[in-house]
Amino acid sequence: MSILLVLLAIGLIWFIRSVWPVSGLSFVDSRILEAAREEMTTLKIVDVRDAADYQKSHYPGSINISLGRLPFVWRNELSPDEPVLILADSRRKSIKAARVLKNKGFSQLYALRRVSGY
């Protein structure tokens, strides 16, 4: 019985952590993507979907770093001083990517509310 409770607690902690807000992360509407892109010349757009999904369709100028690789290769394309817009296929993945970048020192993090196709 106690093993079941431990597993339940671990599952609950995982779920809460996957949806808990990340401080400094702002969700933005896709309608303002172009306006933000023009105003913020240093804005990096990171698509954290898998490479196959990125190849099918992606936002022009975005960088593909899959969520699993993000903790290891972010230095190749990103700088903590630059604002980053996260494109993901779910809110949970956007939060997870933001949490990874936040832990690396990023403070200007944005994510699209809904990504349906680029």
Side-chain angles (χ1 to χ4, degrees), residues 22-82:
V22 176
S23 65
L25 174 64
S26 300
F27 282 89
V28 296
D29 291 324
S30 59
R31 295 178 302 221
I32 65 167
L33 179 59
E34 288 302 320
R37 182 88 170 138
E38 290 173 8
E39 286 186 27
M40 302 173 91
T41 57
T42 61
L43 177 69
K44 295 285 187 158
I45 301 174
V46 178
D47 191 326
V48 296
R49 297 177 300 155
D50 291 332
D53 293 331
Y54 179 81
Q55 291 298 325
K56 286 180 188 175
S57 68
H58 62 273
Y59 185 79
S62 63
I63 302 163
N64 180 233
I65 304 175
S66 64
L67 191 54
R69 294 178 51 232
L70 187 61
F72 308 104
V73 300
W74 66 269
R75 282 187 183 95
N76 297 342
E77 300 286 345
L78 306 174
S79 169
D81 300 329
E82 299 172 324

